[in-house]
């Protein structure tokens, strides 16, 4: 079992729709959870972080964390073609080491 | 301000040669991390430093890989006797400190190709 699992996709949504990206993790000691966006050929860019159960909203992005289910998700409202990228879920046990999933490719079609 | 800077951007070398990859973190960032990213995969942890101290090197694949950060700023990842399987994107990241809530910011990476 991988430590952090994501569906590789591609996830295709029409422009203006809500994109829902999911991630599960295996270590119950995980403390912090991050979503990075990576455009093709570019470096990962941090878009959201979440540390406690519940929802955290920032603009069109909402991160959701459920530690009991070991599940973290990212919702993108009013998806735009510019949101098309690979979204990487990362978790840490608090030691500084980030463990990444393989990423989900999102395609937003005009 | 300036982000994480890595050099060279591209490195092509023959199998068996040694290579050194450089990372200059964001000014004031105490913690520095090295990752390796294969195509279509997320970054894979290699090692990290707080100041000049190497805190965790559990991700280094074998003893051909080493890293240092002698003055607590610039870091060098060295791969000795390179092999074709070492070909990948090597990414450096830095954070303000190693606290669990500190986000890591990535550089543009070094694309290493071993012929």
């Amino acid at each position: 079992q991988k430590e952090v699992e994501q569906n590789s996709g591609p996830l295709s949504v029409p422009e203006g729709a809500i994109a829902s990206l999911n991630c599960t993790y295996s270590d119950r000691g995980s403390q912090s959870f991050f979503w990075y966006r990576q455009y093709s050929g570019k470096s990962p860019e941090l878009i959201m972080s979440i540390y406690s159960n519940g929802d955290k909203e920032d603009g069109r992005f909402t991160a959701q964390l459920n530690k009991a289910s070991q599940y973290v998700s990212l919702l993108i409202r009013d998806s735009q073609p510019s949101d098309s990228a690979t979204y990487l879920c990362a978790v840490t046990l608090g030691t500084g080491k980030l463990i990444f999933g393989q990423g989900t490719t999102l395609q937003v079609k005009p | 301000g300036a982000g994480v800077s890595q050099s060279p951007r591209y490195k092509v070398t023959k199998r068996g040669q040694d290579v050194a990859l450089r990372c200059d973190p964001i000014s004031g960032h105490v913690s520095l991390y090295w990752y390796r990213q294969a195509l279509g995969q997320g970054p894979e942890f290699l090692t990290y430093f707080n100041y000049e101290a190497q805190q965790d090197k559990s991700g280094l694949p074998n003893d051909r890989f080493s890293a240092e950060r002698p003055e607590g700023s610039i870091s060098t990842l060295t791969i000795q006797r390179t092999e074709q399987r070492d070909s990948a994107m090597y990414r450096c990241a830095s954070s303000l400190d190693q606290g669990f809530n500190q986000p890591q910011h990535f550089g543009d990476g070094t694309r290493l190709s071993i012929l």
Side-chain angles (χ1 to χ4, degrees):
Chain A
Q1 181 190 8
K2 291 184 181 177
E3 293 179 89
V4 179
E5 296 208 45
Q6 296 180 256
N7 188 319
S8 61
L11 172 66
S12 184
V13 300
E15 184 175 356
I18 296 175
S20 177
L21 303 159
N22 305 314
C23 171
T24 58
Y25 59 95
S26 61
D27 195 321
R28 286 194 173 275
S30 299
Q31 293 191 14
S32 305
F33 307 84
F34 303 91
W35 283 99
Y36 284 82
R37 177 176 62 199
Q38 187 171 27
Y39 291 113
S40 181
K42 301 297 185 182
S43 60
E45 171 194 9
L46 180 70
I47 53 172
M48 288 289 286
S49 58
I50 187 166
Y51 313 113
S52 55
N53 279 329
D55 294 359
K56 179 181 178 183
E57 186 174 321
D58 183 1
R60 296 186 296 113
F61 299 100
T62 299
Q64 299 174 317
L65 175 60
N66 183 326
K67 288 189 176 181
S69 299
Q70 294 175 246
Y71 176 93
V72 58
S73 65
L74 179 70
L75 301 178
I76 306 174
R77 289 182 298 282
D78 188 23
S79 296
Q80 301 297 310
S82 58
D83 294 326
S84 298
T86 295
Y87 289 81
L88 296 162
C89 171
V91 307
T92 178
L93 296 171
T95 61
K97 168 183 176 180
L98 277 178
I99 303 170
F100 284 85
Q102 70 175 73
T104 298
T105 299
L106 173 66
Q107 296 174 345
V108 181
K109 300 193 172 180
Chain B
V4 177
S5 177
Q6 291 188 246
S7 60
R9 289 294 309 278
Y10 303 93
K11 178 70 177 178
V12 180
T13 192
K14 292 183 179 179
R15 182 168 52 92
Q17 298 296 305
D18 298 350
V19 295
L21 312 180
R22 172 188 162 118
C23 174
D24 193 350
I26 294 171
S27 178
H29 279 198
V30 164
S31 302
L32 183 148
Y33 310 82
W34 284 100
Y35 294 86
R36 179 168 69 175
Q37 187 173 19
L39 204 60
Q41 300 295 317
E44 175 189 18
F45 172 81
L46 296 176
T47 185
Y48 90 95
F49 294 82
N50 279 338
Y51 298 100
E52 72 281 0
Q54 191 170 21
Q55 298 292 325
D56 183 347
K57 56 181 181 178
S58 63
L60 295 177
N62 50 61
D63 60 8
R64 296 186 296 105
F65 287 72
S66 62
E68 62 174 11
R69 193 186 184 197
E71 297 180 0
S73 179
I74 292 169
S75 176
T76 302
L77 177 69
T78 300
I79 308 173
Q80 295 179 313
R81 306 180 302 283
T82 52
E83 301 177 5
Q84 285 189 330
R85 60 178 171 157
D86 300 333
S87 296
M89 176 70 82
Y90 288 82
R91 297 197 183 276
C92 177
S94 70
S95 64
L96 208 53
D97 59 50
Q98 69 169 353
F100 73 94
N101 61 345
Q102 288 298 331
Q104 296 180 23
H105 302 276
F106 284 81
D108 288 336
T110 293
R111 169 74 66 188
L112 177 64
S113 297
I114 309 298
L115 303 178

